[in-house]
């Protein structure tokens, strides 16, 4: 049975699609692509229909991580709770927002990204920091720890 993972950030144009394609690259490199289904989404509606933010694309490309150029932002829905085994948010704000969309988590599916590394902190939003490399490294570390 496939492990179904949904990464979630504010707009689904930086952190969550970066995490989506980093994890897809890692599972492909390990020959595990058939074991995983991976997507990403937003808690907000601000960027719905927009593609991955160009600096995020550049960062992924610089690391040799393939991404789907047709990927567009979508908002997480309550139905996603049943569709995915894990819903992984990037920061405490995303967690508050997702609790409005998915008010209960009886199966313990919702996690903070950096919790996989044993560190209880947010993944910095490069939309504000401008540091896509730092975000990439955090996401890579957490995705490797998750696997």
């Amino acid at each position: 049975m496939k492990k179904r993972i949904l990464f979630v950030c504010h707009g689904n144009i930086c952190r969550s699609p970066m995490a989506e394609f980093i994890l897809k690259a890692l599972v492909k490199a390990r020959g595990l692509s058939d074991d995983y289904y991976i997507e990403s989404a937003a808690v907000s509606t601000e960027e719905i229909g927009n593609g991955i933010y160009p600096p995020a694309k550049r960062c992924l490309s610089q690391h040799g991580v393939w991404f789907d150029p047709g990927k567009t932002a979508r908002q997480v829905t309550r139905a996603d709770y049943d569709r995915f085994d894990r819903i992984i948010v990037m920061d405490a704000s995303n967690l508050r927002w997702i609790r409005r969309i998915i008010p209960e988590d009886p199966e313990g599916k919702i996690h903070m990204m950096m919790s996989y590394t044993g560190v209880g902190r947010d993944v910095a939003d490069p939309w504000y920091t401008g540091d896509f490399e730092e975000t990439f490294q955090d996401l890579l570390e957490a995705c490797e720890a998750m696997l």
Side-chain angles (χ1 to χ4, degrees):
M1 178 182 285
K2 284 191 182 221
K3 295 174 184 96
R4 302 176 63 81
I5 298 173
L6 179 66
F7 291 108
V8 178
C9 69
H10 185 79
N12 192 215
I13 61 168
C14 296
R15 292 173 293 175
S16 61
M18 288 174 75
E20 173 185 348
F21 292 108
I22 289 168
L23 187 59
K24 284 179 176 178
L26 290 174
V27 299
K28 182 179 181 184
R30 295 176 184 184
L32 301 172
S33 294
D34 291 341
D35 298 335
Y36 284 86
Y37 179 80
I38 305 159
E39 276 189 32
S40 62
V43 289
S44 80
T45 59
E46 295 168 36
E47 300 288 348
I48 290 179
N50 291 334
I52 301 172
Y53 192 48
K57 289 187 211 179
R58 277 193 297 277
C59 186
L60 290 170
S61 293
Q62 288 168 347
H63 287 279
V65 175
W66 177 88
F67 58 87
D68 179 354
K71 163 72 180 166
T72 58
R74 75 166 182 91
Q75 187 178 30
V76 68
T77 66
R78 191 174 296 225
D80 285 325
Y81 192 82
D82 293 326
R83 292 183 54 227
F84 291 91
D85 302 311
R86 287 187 229 167
I87 299 171
I88 303 168
V89 299
M90 300 296 145
D91 62 34
S93 174
N94 302 157
L95 186 59
R96 284 190 300 275
W97 277 66
I98 207 161
R99 295 282 186 217
R100 293 180 195 135
I101 300 165
I102 304 170
E104 296 183 15
D105 182 17
E107 296 177 48
K109 294 180 178 185
I110 300 171
H111 303 259
M112 294 281 289
M113 185 71 179
M114 294 308 289
S115 68
Y116 292 97
T117 68
V119 177
R121 67 173 172 81
D122 295 346
V123 175
D125 190 340
W127 175 267
Y128 298 105
T129 68
D131 193 341
F132 287 83
E133 182 60 29
E134 176 187 21
T135 298
F136 180 91
Q137 293 303 326
D138 278 352
L139 296 172
L140 178 62
E141 179 185 3
C143 284
E144 287 176 335
M146 185 188 323
L147 285 178

